[in-house]
Amino acid sequence: MSGPGEAPAGQELRVISIQRLLHWGGRLGAACLATGLLLAGPAQAIAQTPGPSPAEQDGREPIRVLIGLPPGSGVDQVSRLFAEALSQRLYRPVLVENRTGARGNVAGEEVARATPNGNTLGIVTATTLLLNRHLSRQMGYDPQADLTPISRFAALPFLVLGAPGQGVRTIGDLVELLKARPSTCGTPGAGTAQHLALELLIRSVGARCDFVHFRGLSGALPELLNGGVQVYVESAVIGLPLVREGRVRLLAVTSRNRSALFPETPTVAETVSGFEAETWLALMGPRGLPDSVLAKLETAAMAVARDAALVHRLRALAAEPIVGSRTELAATIRAQDSIWGPVARAAGLTTD
């Protein structure tokens, strides 16, 4: 206990400590003195980087994000980069889970049936949203009616590939070849977005093609190299390594604009006016998401898509970032559904 007029014991100890620090002198003493003064005041605290506000800390349960493609796929790689960045933005773990099957419908249906609280979301491809409903009448849900748009965040253009030795160097050369004689076109699977992109190209130029569907580019490569297949369409994420190795020839990209990864390669649209075909990824939730949850997720997703570090990492995978609002996503779904539905029906495709 301190007597009258005496400093409290704790304060006396702080004064002694400060005197010792002053005795040391120099920059170290000044720095320590500043720290000692900060610690001395009971109501003061060391300055730190601001953490999440109480409103941002609500719902610390991890967010499950389901995707319908297997680990290691192009969509999986892009989705995991996005989920990692989204976790940092929301101050919550965001865990990617692969739910493969039924062309993405297994994952989509699980999201559609989830409790609409924002804890279960899906990264859904254009294939699931636009094509599946035209290819099957036995789906357990409607991806457009039962999923809530949040944000479209990346596009993955397709590559139109040919064999280096077949004398086809441009889309113009390919069109002439397809019109001149019966040809074989390869895809990674019937009813895939790559298949529909090639169907659209063939129909746009008035050509015909016999389709062969392989289990990915590795399965198609021998036939492409020996001339059994004249053209193959694959996602840039998968096809780019073989292009760089010189094993296949890159004829064109299917996106509206040239790719930043290979700006010297023309788009299909530079030869076939108005042509555009690419898959894209969108963050979706179950129907009935509360507006407050929806707004928070939309804001975070759009901020992530603007992040320079993520943009660099996505482009390294041949993916193009998109800063898309929920309104933009809903409008894109409506507009593109009117394009791909007729193509799927005209091709007579069905998965039933």
Side-chain angles (χ1 to χ4, degrees):
M1 295 290 293
S2 303
E6 296 179 350
Q11 182 174 336
E12 179 181 357
L13 287 175
R14 285 196 292 273
V15 171
I16 293 172
S17 298
I18 292 171
Q19 288 174 341
R20 288 177 178 173
L21 290 171
L22 288 172
H23 177 71
W24 292 343
R27 294 183 178 179
L28 176 61
C32 293
L33 172 61
T35 305
L37 290 173
L38 282 172
L39 294 175
Q44 293 177 308
I46 298 175
Q48 297 178 341
T49 302
S53 67
E56 291 170 327
Q57 295 185 46
D58 60 341
R60 304 302 289 178
E61 178 182 344
I63 297 174
R64 301 168 61 230
V65 174
L66 311 183
I67 65 171
L69 281 88
S73 64
V75 169
D76 178 75
Q77 294 178 56
V78 172
S79 297
R80 289 180 184 277
L81 289 179
F82 177 78
E84 177 186 348
L86 188 64
S87 176
Q88 296 171 2
R89 180 68 56 171
L90 292 172
Y91 303 102
R92 293 178 63 183
V94 177
L95 308 178
V96 172
E97 299 180 17
N98 300 89
R99 291 285 191 272
T100 59
R103 295 163 40 81
N105 285 335
V106 170
E109 185 169 357
E110 185 172 344
V111 174
R113 298 186 185 284
T115 302
N117 57 12
N119 290 339
T120 300
L121 307 173
I123 291 178
V124 183
T125 66
T127 300
T128 300
L129 284 168
L130 302 174
L131 298 182
N132 287 358
R133 61 200 300 266
H134 298 288
L135 301 178
S136 175
R137 298 179 180 178
Q138 300 179 7
M139 294 174 60
Y141 77 114
D142 184 336
Q144 293 188 19
D146 297 331
L147 296 176
T148 297
I150 299 173
S151 178
R152 192 166 67 122
F153 64 88
L156 284 72
F158 299 129
L159 307 181
V160 183
L161 304 174
Q166 69 179 2
V168 174
R169 295 179 175 275
T170 67
I171 286 295
D173 294 342
L174 177 64
V175 170
E176 290 182 9
L177 174 67
L178 296 177
K179 288 184 174 181
R181 60 182 174 84
S183 301
T184 302
C185 298
T187 80
T192 59
Q194 293 92 318
H195 178 196
L196 271 292
L198 194 46
E199 284 274 7
L200 181 61
L201 174 58
I202 297 301
R203 293 175 182 277
S204 297
V205 301
R208 297 184 61 185
C209 204
D210 294 326
F211 282 89
V212 178
H213 306 293
F214 298 89
R215 289 182 176 272
L217 181 53
S218 60
L221 188 60
E223 289 298 313
L224 187 62
L225 296 180
N226 69 24
V229 170
Q230 281 69 56
V231 60
Y232 185 91
V233 171
E234 184 54 279
S235 70
V237 177
I238 302 300
L240 190 57
L242 290 180
V243 171
R244 288 172 170 164
E245 293 170 9
R247 303 184 67 186
V248 295
R249 186 183 300 281
L250 175 56
L251 305 179
V253 295
T254 64
S255 52
R256 178 182 302 177
N257 302 310
R258 292 194 180 196
S259 170
L261 281 178
F262 21 81
E264 72 286 351
T265 301
T267 65
V268 175
E270 292 175 44
T271 301
V272 183
S273 180
F275 185 93
E276 180 183 4
E278 58 185 5
T279 194
W280 39 259
L281 307 182
L283 185 65
M284 306 285 288
R287 183 173 58 182
L289 275 180
D291 287 342
S292 59
V293 173
L294 182 55
K296 180 182 293 186
L297 291 170
E298 176 191 35
T299 299
M302 293 176 67
V304 164
R306 292 189 185 98
D307 182 77
L310 181 68
V311 168
H312 177 76
R313 297 177 73 184
L314 290 181
R315 284 178 173 161
L317 291 174
E320 189 62 32
I322 299 173
V323 183
S325 67
R326 49 181 151 161
T327 302
E328 182 272 342
L329 174 54
T332 297
I333 293 171
R334 290 192 299 269
Q336 294 193 3
D337 185 73
S338 65
I339 297 173
W340 293 109
V343 173
R345 291 191 293 271
L349 298 175
T350 179
T351 57
D352 292 337

